[in-house]
Amino acid sequence: MSIASRKEREKADMRARILSAAHDIFKENGYDGLNIRSIAERIEYSPATIYLYYKDKNEIFFALQYEAAAAKRDHLLPATTIEDPWERLIAFGRLYVDFGLKHPDWYDLLFLTRAPMEHIENQECWTLGMATHSFFVETVEACVAARYFKSTDSATIAYTLWCHAHGMVSLFVRERMRMYPAEVRGELAKKSFEMIVKMAESL
Amino acid sequence: MSIASRKEREKADMRARILSAAHDIFKENGYDGLNIRSIAERIEYSPATIYLYYKDKNEIFFALQYEAAAAKRDHLLPATTIEDPWERLIAFGRLYVDFGLKHPDWYDLLFLTRAPMEHIENQECWTLGMATHSFFVETVEACVAARYFKSTDSATIAYTLWCHAHGMVSLFVRERMRMYPAEVRGELAKKSFEMIVKMAESL
DNA sequence: TTGATTCACTAAACACTGTTCAGTAACTTT
DNA sequence: AAAGTTACTGAACAGTGTTTAGTGAATCAA
């Protein structure tokens, strides 16, 4: 038993070390600079060894996506303690955009990377992401319940607000705001956020 | 002179044939399936020949992006003839989203592909895309001039509406709407569009 | 303890990418 | 006809993800 459990521990350790190396490389060079050989080099093993612990690169991708989802959840945490649903919703949105602008790589990994989305529903990162998303939807529902909106279609309200926030971040992350000088982009995002809040107040 | 001009014509022809092959492959297999060798095979030349007509893959990418921008402009064309700025704005938005949902590959190429954005300002596709974007901004300005909004910050209004539309399309294109069953996604997009129109009316 | 078995690991390869370069054969000029 | 230019290609390089055969060490059974 002892040997078996030790081996199990060692296996888990190795997986963790691989992921940690992948994490570091990703943070340093982005997803493009992340490849099997660079991970192998960093942990001082041969590339083939990686495949004894992860089925393929996608599995590492999912694991990294989990880290990104966790980072996002942590970033949004301060909003969860706000009592008033409307204030909570605004704080949540502000933190969401803030997360995207501050950690474009993480955001990219979560929402923009073209990657093995086929069976993501079975992955832990999906569960974590869904929990965060549910919190957002529930906050909108709480606003509806508290009659902050005339509309009662909380699903559409949540989706609409999400689209706006995601649109802002992803235009920024994927560098599609080059028609605006770099200096004004932050200001524009801020103004647009305030505008969507105003717009939401009329819902 | 005759020979020189013939050669020039042949050069242009070859460039067109390469681009046409790239276009077809892109349409069939997406950007992932598009590679130099597949283009070479289709036009029945060696891969090295491609490089006599295009500096590198990026140049082909820009050329394709131009085609995507042209397809988008054509798709949006019906909106341009609408007199009333508010109606024109709504039609424009509807067609924009419609284009993205109908041609996710083109949309991806234009707004989501992580690609050589460094010097895009010097490319034709940028000019074309800017023209379309300017038309959108001008329509918002026309709405402001005609007092359709209380707010006069047309830049922020345009940006906010764009973010929402782009957010909708890109969540769809990059498959981040898996929490909603595939059947309801279209309906949700429609409802959200109507909602943002309602919200804009209150601006 | 010894011989058999399993395990962790790796070198080397394969099949793909984008890209370059030396060489060749045809076309054009003199 | 000789010289020069042009269009093209085979073969290679370097960089990806991934597989496979093999090796030496750890573990197990006797």
Side-chain angles (χ1 to χ4, degrees):
Chain A
M1 270 298 110
S2 161
I3 287 179
S5 71
R6 193 204 75 215
K7 292 215 169 181
E8 216 168 293
R9 203 175 345 112
E10 282 175 352
K11 190 123 190 164
D13 281 358
M14 189 64 146
R15 274 180 71 94
R17 283 169 61 200
I18 291 170
L19 190 61
S20 167
H23 178 113
D24 292 347
I25 293 165
F26 177 78
K27 273 284 157 192
E28 285 164 28
N29 310 327
Y31 194 69
D32 290 345
L34 180 65
N35 60 61
I36 301 293
R37 280 172 181 80
S38 68
I39 298 173
E41 196 180 354
R42 187 166 295 227
I43 63 169
E44 296 177 291
Y45 281 82
S46 89
T49 304
I50 309 284
Y51 289 87
L52 301 174
Y53 298 90
Y54 286 92
K55 192 177 134 286
D56 53 26
K57 206 190 171 185
N58 285 350
E59 218 171 278
I60 298 175
F61 168 80
F62 282 134
L64 270 182
Q65 215 175 34
Y66 182 85
E67 304 232 321
K72 176 162 158 276
R73 180 204 51 199
D74 294 347
H75 196 92
L76 298 175
L77 210 60
T80 59
T81 54
I82 298 173
E83 280 288 330
D84 181 64
W86 175 246
E87 291 302 322
R88 188 163 72 242
L89 183 61
I90 293 172
F92 191 91
R94 216 182 282 279
L95 287 168
Y96 182 96
V97 174
D98 189 54
F99 174 79
L101 301 187
K102 277 206 183 120
H103 309 288
D105 284 336
W106 279 146
Y107 194 90
D108 197 303
L109 206 57
L110 285 171
F111 293 114
L112 291 167
T113 301
R114 191 181 229 163
M117 284 293 126
E118 302 94 41
H119 302 104
I120 192 158
E121 287 90 343
N122 310 325
Q123 304 295 135
E124 287 177 21
C125 54
W126 175 259
T127 313
L128 184 53
M130 274 309 293
T132 312
H133 189 261
S134 295
F135 170 74
F136 168 62
V137 174
E138 281 158 20
T139 297
V140 173
E141 283 166 356
C143 287
V144 167
R147 310 248 180 249
Y148 275 91
F149 305 124
K150 266 163 271 163
S151 165
T152 57
D153 187 356
S154 53
T156 306
I157 296 173
Y159 175 66
T160 302
L161 297 178
W162 183 32
C163 283
H164 174 261
H166 171 69
M168 279 212 294
V169 177
S170 57
L171 284 172
F172 174 82
V173 168
R174 285 287 160 107
E175 298 189 55
R176 257 62 170 198
M177 288 188 62
R178 298 197 159 234
M179 64 282 278
Y180 302 105
E183 315 87 62
V184 311
R185 285 173 205 163
E187 189 60 30
L188 192 59
K190 201 186 275 181
K191 279 192 195 165
S192 184
F193 187 84
E194 284 161 18
M195 184 171 278
I196 199 84
V197 169
K198 276 258 159 57
M199 288 165 88
E201 281 171 352
S202 77
L203 266 169
Chain B
M1 270 300 109
S2 163
I3 288 178
S5 71
R6 193 204 76 215
K7 293 218 169 179
E8 216 167 295
R9 203 175 343 113
E10 283 175 352
K11 190 122 189 165
D13 282 359
M14 189 62 148
R15 273 178 71 94
R17 283 169 63 202
I18 291 170
L19 190 60
S20 167
H23 178 114
D24 293 347
I25 293 164
F26 176 78
K27 274 284 158 192
E28 286 164 26
N29 309 325
Y31 193 70
D32 291 344
L34 179 64
N35 58 61
I36 301 293
R37 280 172 180 81
S38 68
I39 298 173
E41 197 180 355
R42 187 165 295 225
I43 61 170
E44 295 176 295
Y45 281 82
S46 88
T49 302
I50 309 285
Y51 289 87
L52 300 174
Y53 297 90
Y54 286 92
K55 191 178 133 288
D56 54 25
K57 207 190 171 187
N58 285 349
E59 219 171 277
I60 298 175
F61 168 80
F62 282 135
L64 270 181
Q65 215 175 33
Y66 182 86
E67 304 232 320
K72 175 162 159 276
R73 180 203 52 199
D74 294 347
H75 196 92
L76 298 175
L77 210 61
T80 59
T81 55
I82 299 173
E83 279 288 330
D84 181 63
W86 174 247
E87 292 301 324
R88 188 163 75 244
L89 182 62
I90 292 172
F92 191 90
R94 217 181 283 280
L95 286 168
Y96 183 96
V97 174
D98 190 53
F99 174 79
L101 301 187
K102 275 200 185 126
H103 310 286
D105 284 337
W106 279 146
Y107 194 89
D108 198 304
L109 206 55
L110 285 171
F111 294 114
L112 291 167
T113 300
R114 192 181 228 165
M117 285 291 127
E118 301 93 41
H119 302 105
I120 192 156
E121 287 89 345
N122 309 326
Q123 303 295 329
E124 286 177 22
C125 54
W126 176 259
T127 313
L128 184 53
M130 275 308 295
T132 313
H133 188 260
S134 295
F135 170 75
F136 168 62
V137 174
E138 281 158 21
T139 298
V140 173
E141 282 166 355
C143 287
V144 167
R147 312 247 179 250
Y148 275 91
F149 305 124
K150 266 164 272 163
S151 166
T152 57
D153 187 355
S154 53
T156 306
I157 296 172
Y159 175 65
T160 302
L161 297 178
W162 183 32
C163 283
H164 174 261
H166 172 68
M168 280 212 293
V169 176
S170 58
L171 285 172
F172 174 82
V173 168
R174 285 288 159 107
E175 299 190 54
R176 258 62 171 198
M177 287 188 63
R178 298 197 159 231
M179 64 283 277
Y180 303 104
E183 316 86 62
V184 310
R185 286 174 205 164
E187 188 60 30
L188 192 59
K190 200 186 277 181
K191 278 192 196 167
S192 183
F193 187 84
E194 285 162 16
M195 185 171 276
I196 199 83
V197 169
K198 276 258 161 57
M199 288 164 91
E201 281 171 351
S202 78
L203 266 169

